Amino acid sequence: MYAIVIFGAVMVAISLVMVATPETWARAVLRFTRMPYMHPFEIGTRLGFGFLFVTYADQSRFPTFIRLFGYLLLAIGLGLLLTPPSYHRRFGVWSVEKFSKYFRFAGLASLAFGIFLIYAAIR
């Protein structure tokens, strides 16, 4: 359960940055795409948290939803395993360039989702 709370808390913190300073968030994402560990980090976090969500779903308020979200994270992690790192980097840069004007709105949505995850994990 702690993993879901931690995931939700990190999501809340990141969301607050996105809402308060979307330009800063965009620059941070662009810097991250240039890091050599970006691709393996994204694979590892998705697979790791996906496994934890599936494993601890039954201890949450909404086990079906948490389990499905865990399977989604696992699917994305497996998809990233099949994606060349150079393509993943290009996609990250393209996404920032295309969608940075929506970061504040996306931050509000992810803030709500992070709060929901914390609520779902604490029984």
Side-chain angles (χ1 to χ4, degrees), residues 73-85:
L73 290 172
L74 288 170
I76 293 168
L78 291 173
L80 286 173
L81 274 173
L82 302 174
T83 303

Side-chain angles (χ1 to χ4, degrees), residues 31 39 41 55 69 101 103 106 113 122:
R31 273 193 313 274
H39 188 65
F41 176 80
T55 301
F69 186 66
K101 60 187 168 209
F103 277 4
F113 188 63
I122 299 172

Side-chain angles (χ1 to χ4, degrees), residues 1-83:
M1 281 331 278
Y2 294 117
I4 297 171
V5 172
I6 290 168
F7 187 94
V10 169
M11 194 169 197
V12 166
I14 289 170
S15 300
L16 290 172
V17 173
M18 286 177 74
V19 170
T21 57
E23 301 83 16
T24 301
W25 179 250
R27 285 191 305 273
V29 171
L30 288 174
R31 273 193 313 274
F32 182 64
T33 62
R34 291 189 291 268
M35 300 295 175
Y37 55 82
M38 182 274 288
H39 188 65
F41 176 80
E42 293 223 348
I43 293 169
T45 55
R46 280 164 181 77
L47 291 176
F49 276 105
F51 173 78
L52 293 170
F53 273 56
V54 170
T55 301
Y56 295 107
D58 288 332
Q59 297 178 22
S60 73
R61 292 178 194 257
F62 308 102
T64 302
F65 178 82
I66 296 297
R67 187 173 293 103
L68 287 174
F69 186 66
Y71 285 133
L72 177 64
L73 290 172
L74 288 170
I76 293 168
L78 291 173
L80 286 173
L81 274 173
L82 302 174
T83 303

